[in-house]
mmCIF file with all atom_site columns, all heavy atoms in Angstrom:
data_model
loop_
_atom_site.group_PDB
_atom_site.id
_atom_site.type_symbol
_atom_site.label_atom_id
_atom_site.label_alt_id
_atom_site.label_comp_id
_atom_site.label_asym_id
_atom_site.label_entity_id
_atom_site.label_seq_id
_atom_site.pdbx_PDB_ins_code
_atom_site.Cartn_x
_atom_site.Cartn_y
_atom_site.Cartn_z
_atom_site.occupancy
_atom_site.B_iso_or_equiv
_atom_site.pdbx_formal_charge
_atom_site.auth_seq_id
_atom_site.auth_comp_id
_atom_site.auth_asym_id
_atom_site.auth_atom_id
_atom_site.pdbx_PDB_model_num
ATOM 1   N N   . VAL A 1 127 ? -28.124 44.343 37.177 1.00 88.00 ? 127 VAL A N   1
ATOM 2   C CA  . VAL A 1 127 ? -28.169 43.298 36.153 1.00 88.00 ? 127 VAL A CA  1
ATOM 3   C C   . VAL A 1 127 ? -26.921 43.351 35.276 1.00 88.00 ? 127 VAL A C   1
ATOM 4   O O   . VAL A 1 127 ? -26.282 42.331 35.005 1.00 88.00 ? 127 VAL A O   1
ATOM 5   C CB  . VAL A 1 127 ? -29.442 43.447 35.292 1.00 88.00 ? 127 VAL A CB  1
ATOM 6   C CG1 . VAL A 1 127 ? -29.384 42.504 34.089 1.00 88.00 ? 127 VAL A CG1 1
ATOM 7   C CG2 . VAL A 1 127 ? -30.685 43.151 36.124 1.00 88.00 ? 127 VAL A CG2 1
ATOM 8   N N   . GLU A 1 128 ? -26.551 44.563 34.831 1.00 86.00 ? 128 GLU A N   1
ATOM 9   C CA  . GLU A 1 128 ? -25.412 44.729 33.921 1.00 86.00 ? 128 GLU A CA  1
ATOM 10  C C   . GLU A 1 128 ? -24.086 44.369 34.581 1.00 86.00 ? 128 GLU A C   1
ATOM 11  O O   . GLU A 1 128 ? -23.193 43.829 33.925 1.00 86.00 ? 128 GLU A O   1
ATOM 12  C CB  . GLU A 1 128 ? -25.361 46.182 33.441 1.00 86.00 ? 128 GLU A CB  1
ATOM 13  C CG  . GLU A 1 128 ? -26.374 46.515 32.372 1.00 86.00 ? 128 GLU A CG  1
ATOM 14  C CD  . GLU A 1 128 ? -25.983 45.950 31.012 1.00 86.00 ? 128 GLU A CD  1
ATOM 15  O OE1 . GLU A 1 128 ? -24.952 46.362 30.469 1.00 86.00 ? 128 GLU A OE1 1
ATOM 16  O OE2 . GLU A 1 128 ? -26.724 45.096 30.513 1.00 86.00 ? 128 GLU A OE2 1
ATOM 17  N N   . LEU A 1 129 ? -23.955 44.673 35.869 1.00 87.00 ? 129 LEU A N   1
ATOM 18  C CA  . LEU A 1 129 ? -22.665 44.511 36.528 1.00 87.00 ? 129 LEU A CA  1
ATOM 19  C C   . LEU A 1 129 ? -22.503 43.177 37.251 1.00 87.00 ? 129 LEU A C   1
ATOM 20  O O   . LEU A 1 129 ? -21.383 42.660 37.355 1.00 87.00 ? 129 LEU A O   1
ATOM 21  C CB  . LEU A 1 129 ? -22.445 45.649 37.528 1.00 87.00 ? 129 LEU A CB  1
ATOM 22  C CG  . LEU A 1 129 ? -22.349 47.050 36.914 1.00 87.00 ? 129 LEU A CG  1
ATOM 23  C CD1 . LEU A 1 129 ? -22.259 48.094 38.024 1.00 87.00 ? 129 LEU A CD1 1
ATOM 24  C CD2 . LEU A 1 129 ? -21.153 47.154 35.976 1.00 87.00 ? 129 LEU A CD2 1
ATOM 25  N N   . ALA A 1 130 ? -23.602 42.628 37.770 1.00 85.00 ? 130 ALA A N   1
ATOM 26  C CA  . ALA A 1 130 ? -23.468 41.464 38.638 1.00 85.00 ? 130 ALA A CA  1
ATOM 27  C C   . ALA A 1 130 ? -24.225 40.231 38.165 1.00 85.00 ? 130 ALA A C   1
ATOM 28  O O   . ALA A 1 130 ? -23.682 39.119 38.152 1.00 85.00 ? 130 ALA A O   1
ATOM 29  C CB  . ALA A 1 130 ? -23.924 41.833 40.050 1.00 85.00 ? 130 ALA A CB  1
ATOM 30  N N   . TRP A 1 131 ? -25.480 40.395 37.783 1.00 82.00 ? 131 TRP A N   1
ATOM 31  C CA  . TRP A 1 131 ? -26.323 39.226 37.499 1.00 82.00 ? 131 TRP A CA  1
ATOM 32  C C   . TRP A 1 131 ? -26.073 38.706 36.084 1.00 82.00 ? 131 TRP A C   1
ATOM 33  O O   . TRP A 1 131 ? -25.732 37.536 35.886 1.00 82.00 ? 131 TRP A O   1
ATOM 34  C CB  . TRP A 1 131 ? -27.783 39.604 37.702 1.00 82.00 ? 131 TRP A CB  1
ATOM 35  C CG  . TRP A 1 131 ? -28.738 38.456 37.563 1.00 82.00 ? 131 TRP A CG  1
ATOM 36  C CD1 . TRP A 1 131 ? -28.444 37.131 37.660 1.00 82.00 ? 131 TRP A CD1 1
ATOM 37  C CD2 . TRP A 1 131 ? -30.143 38.548 37.312 1.00 82.00 ? 131 TRP A CD2 1
ATOM 38  N NE1 . TRP A 1 131 ? -29.582 36.376 37.487 1.00 82.00 ? 131 TRP A NE1 1
ATOM 39  C CE2 . TRP A 1 131 ? -30.637 37.218 37.268 1.00 82.00 ? 131 TRP A CE2 1
ATOM 40  C CE3 . TRP A 1 131 ? -31.012 39.607 37.128 1.00 82.00 ? 131 TRP A CE3 1
ATOM 41  C CZ2 . TRP A 1 131 ? -31.972 36.954 37.036 1.00 82.00 ? 131 TRP A CZ2 1
ATOM 42  C CZ3 . TRP A 1 131 ? -32.347 39.318 36.903 1.00 82.00 ? 131 TRP A CZ3 1
ATOM 43  C CH2 . TRP A 1 131 ? -32.822 38.012 36.855 1.00 82.00 ? 131 TRP A CH2 1
ATOM 44  N N   . LEU A 1 132 ? -26.262 39.553 35.090 1.00 81.00 ? 132 LEU A N   1
ATOM 45  C CA  . LEU A 1 132 ? -26.036 39.193 33.683 1.00 81.00 ? 132 LEU A CA  1
ATOM 46  C C   . LEU A 1 132 ? -25.019 40.178 33.109 1.00 81.00 ? 132 LEU A C   1
ATOM 47  O O   . LEU A 1 132 ? -25.367 41.067 32.342 1.00 81.00 ? 132 LEU A O   1
ATOM 48  C CB  . LEU A 1 132 ? -27.349 39.255 32.896 1.00 81.00 ? 132 LEU A CB  1
ATOM 49  C CG  . LEU A 1 132 ? -28.551 38.500 33.479 1.00 81.00 ? 132 LEU A CG  1
ATOM 50  C CD1 . LEU A 1 132 ? -29.797 38.740 32.638 1.00 81.00 ? 132 LEU A CD1 1
ATOM 51  C CD2 . LEU A 1 132 ? -28.256 37.004 33.572 1.00 81.00 ? 132 LEU A CD2 1
ATOM 52  N N   . PRO A 1 133 ? -23.747 40.045 33.479 1.00 82.00 ? 133 PRO A N   1
ATOM 53  C CA  . PRO A 1 133 ? -22.754 41.074 33.161 1.00 82.00 ? 133 PRO A CA  1
ATOM 54  C C   . PRO A 1 133 ? -22.554 41.283 31.661 1.00 82.00 ? 133 PRO A C   1
ATOM 55  O O   . PRO A 1 133 ? -22.450 40.333 30.890 1.00 82.00 ? 133 PRO A O   1
ATOM 56  C CB  . PRO A 1 133 ? -21.478 40.535 33.811 1.00 82.00 ? 133 PRO A CB  1
ATOM 57  C CG  . PRO A 1 133 ? -21.697 39.067 33.957 1.00 82.00 ? 133 PRO A CG  1
ATOM 58  C CD  . PRO A 1 133 ? -23.164 38.898 34.198 1.00 82.00 ? 133 PRO A CD  1
ATOM 59  N N   . ALA A 1 134 ? -22.492 42.556 31.290 1.00 76.00 ? 134 ALA A N   1
ATOM 60  C CA  . ALA A 1 134 ? -22.294 42.905 29.884 1.00 76.00 ? 134 ALA A CA  1
ATOM 61  C C   . ALA A 1 134 ? -20.923 42.474 29.388 1.00 76.00 ? 134 ALA A C   1
ATOM 62  O O   . ALA A 1 134 ? -20.712 42.306 28.182 1.00 76.00 ? 134 ALA A O   1
ATOM 63  C CB  . ALA A 1 134 ? -22.472 44.407 29.697 1.00 76.00 ? 134 ALA A CB  1
ATOM 64  N N   . SER A 1 135 ? -19.983 42.312 30.309 1.00 79.00 ? 135 SER A N   1
ATOM 65  C CA  . SER A 1 135 ? -18.629 41.910 29.923 1.00 79.00 ? 135 SER A CA  1
ATOM 66  C C   . SER A 1 135 ? -18.548 40.449 29.501 1.00 79.00 ? 135 SER A C   1
ATOM 67  O O   . SER A 1 135 ? -17.532 40.008 28.953 1.00 79.00 ? 135 SER A O   1
ATOM 68  C CB  . SER A 1 135 ? -17.667 42.159 31.091 1.00 79.00 ? 135 SER A CB  1
ATOM 69  O OG  . SER A 1 135 ? -18.084 41.441 32.243 1.00 79.00 ? 135 SER A OG  1
ATOM 70  N N   . GLN A 1 136 ? -19.593 39.679 29.744 1.00 80.00 ? 136 GLN A N   1
ATOM 71  C CA  . GLN A 1 136 ? -19.619 38.272 29.334 1.00 80.00 ? 136 GLN A CA  1
ATOM 72  C C   . GLN A 1 136 ? -20.197 38.191 27.930 1.00 80.00 ? 136 GLN A C   1
ATOM 73  O O   . GLN A 1 136 ? -21.404 38.092 27.727 1.00 80.00 ? 136 GLN A O   1
ATOM 74  C CB  . GLN A 1 136 ? -20.456 37.444 30.319 1.00 80.00 ? 136 GLN A CB  1
ATOM 75  C CG  . GLN A 1 136 ? -20.373 35.946 30.070 1.00 80.00 ? 136 GLN A CG  1
ATOM 76  C CD  . GLN A 1 136 ? -21.058 35.143 31.165 1.00 80.00 ? 136 GLN A CD  1
ATOM 77  O OE1 . GLN A 1 136 ? -21.167 35.618 32.294 1.00 80.00 ? 136 GLN A OE1 1
ATOM 78  N NE2 . GLN A 1 136 ? -21.504 33.941 30.832 1.00 80.00 ? 136 GLN A NE2 1
ATOM 79  N N   . TYR A 1 137 ? -19.315 38.245 26.945 1.00 77.00 ? 137 TYR A N   1
ATOM 80  C CA  . TYR A 1 137 ? -19.737 38.427 25.567 1.00 77.00 ? 137 TYR A CA  1
ATOM 81  C C   . TYR A 1 137 ? -20.497 37.237 24.986 1.00 77.00 ? 137 TYR A C   1
ATOM 82  O O   . TYR A 1 137 ? -21.259 37.398 24.040 1.00 77.00 ? 137 TYR A O   1
ATOM 83  C CB  . TYR A 1 137 ? -18.524 38.714 24.682 1.00 77.00 ? 137 TYR A CB  1
ATOM 84  C CG  . TYR A 1 137 ? -17.924 40.092 24.869 1.00 77.00 ? 137 TYR A CG  1
ATOM 85  C CD1 . TYR A 1 137 ? -16.670 40.403 24.349 1.00 77.00 ? 137 TYR A CD1 1
ATOM 86  C CD2 . TYR A 1 137 ? -18.607 41.088 25.564 1.00 77.00 ? 137 TYR A CD2 1
ATOM 87  C CE1 . TYR A 1 137 ? -16.121 41.665 24.512 1.00 77.00 ? 137 TYR A CE1 1
ATOM 88  C CE2 . TYR A 1 137 ? -18.067 42.347 25.736 1.00 77.00 ? 137 TYR A CE2 1
ATOM 89  C CZ  . TYR A 1 137 ? -16.814 42.632 25.209 1.00 77.00 ? 137 TYR A CZ  1
ATOM 90  O OH  . TYR A 1 137 ? -16.284 43.877 25.366 1.00 77.00 ? 137 TYR A OH  1
ATOM 91  N N   . ASP A 1 138 ? -20.293 36.031 25.529 1.00 73.00 ? 138 ASP A N   1
ATOM 92  C CA  . ASP A 1 138 ? -20.964 34.885 24.907 1.00 73.00 ? 138 ASP A CA  1
ATOM 93  C C   . ASP A 1 138 ? -22.458 34.849 25.189 1.00 73.00 ? 138 ASP A C   1
ATOM 94  O O   . ASP A 1 138 ? -23.197 34.116 24.545 1.00 73.00 ? 138 ASP A O   1
ATOM 95  C CB  . ASP A 1 138 ? -20.311 33.567 25.325 1.00 73.00 ? 138 ASP A CB  1
ATOM 96  C CG  . ASP A 1 138 ? -20.380 33.303 26.829 1.00 73.00 ? 138 ASP A CG  1
ATOM 97  O OD1 . ASP A 1 138 ? -21.160 33.996 27.531 1.00 73.00 ? 138 ASP A OD1 1
ATOM 98  O OD2 . ASP A 1 138 ? -19.661 32.409 27.294 1.00 73.00 ? 138 ASP A OD2 1
ATOM 99  N N   . GLY A 1 139 ? -22.926 35.639 26.153 1.00 74.00 ? 139 GLY A N   1
ATOM 100 C CA  . GLY A 1 139 ? -24.359 35.708 26.426 1.00 74.00 ? 139 GLY A CA  1
ATOM 101 C C   . GLY A 1 139 ? -24.918 34.509 27.157 1.00 74.00 ? 139 GLY A C   1
ATOM 102 O O   . GLY A 1 139 ? -26.132 34.407 27.342 1.00 74.00 ? 139 GLY A O   1
ATOM 103 N N   . ASP A 1 140 ? -24.045 33.583 27.586 1.00 75.00 ? 140 ASP A N   1
ATOM 104 C CA  . ASP A 1 140 ? -24.510 32.388 28.290 1.00 75.00 ? 140 ASP A CA  1
ATOM 105 C C   . ASP A 1 140 ? -24.400 32.627 29.787 1.00 75.00 ? 140 ASP A C   1
ATOM 106 O O   . ASP A 1 140 ? -23.320 32.728 30.335 1.00 75.00 ? 140 ASP A O   1
ATOM 107 C CB  . ASP A 1 140 ? -23.657 31.182 27.888 1.00 75.00 ? 140 ASP A CB  1
ATOM 108 C CG  . ASP A 1 140 ? -24.036 29.929 28.652 1.00 75.00 ? 140 ASP A CG  1
ATOM 109 O OD1 . ASP A 1 140 ? -25.134 29.906 29.242 1.00 75.00 ? 140 ASP A OD1 1
ATOM 110 O OD2 . ASP A 1 140 ? -23.241 28.979 28.661 1.00 75.00 ? 140 ASP A OD2 1
ATOM 111 N N   . TYR A 1 141 ? -25.555 32.724 30.455 1.00 76.00 ? 141 TYR A N   1
ATOM 112 C CA  . TYR A 1 141 ? -25.581 32.996 31.881 1.00 76.00 ? 141 TYR A CA  1
ATOM 113 C C   . TYR A 1 141 ? -26.032 31.769 32.678 1.00 76.00 ? 141 TYR A C   1
ATOM 114 O O   . TYR A 1 141 ? -26.528 31.905 33.798 1.00 76.00 ? 141 TYR A O   1
ATOM 115 C CB  . TYR A 1 141 ? -26.491 34.193 32.159 1.00 76.00 ? 141 TYR A CB  1
ATOM 116 C CG  . TYR A 1 141 ? -26.057 35.426 31.409 1.00 76.00 ? 141 TYR A CG  1
ATOM 117 C CD1 . TYR A 1 141 ? -26.834 35.962 30.386 1.00 76.00 ? 141 TYR A CD1 1
ATOM 118 C CD2 . TYR A 1 141 ? -24.844 36.043 31.705 1.00 76.00 ? 141 TYR A CD2 1
ATOM 119 C CE1 . TYR A 1 141 ? -26.420 37.079 29.682 1.00 76.00 ? 141 TYR A CE1 1
ATOM 120 C CE2 . TYR A 1 141 ? -24.414 37.162 31.009 1.00 76.00 ? 141 TYR A CE2 1
ATOM 121 C CZ  . TYR A 1 141 ? -25.210 37.682 30.002 1.00 76.00 ? 141 TYR A CZ  1
ATOM 122 O OH  . TYR A 1 141 ? -24.800 38.788 29.301 1.00 76.00 ? 141 TYR A OH  1
#
Side-chain angles (χ1 to χ4, degrees):
V127 171
E128 283 285 296
L129 296 175
W131 185 20
L132 309 176
S135 58
Q136 188 172 334
Y137 288 167
D138 62 14
D140 176 17
Y141 302 113

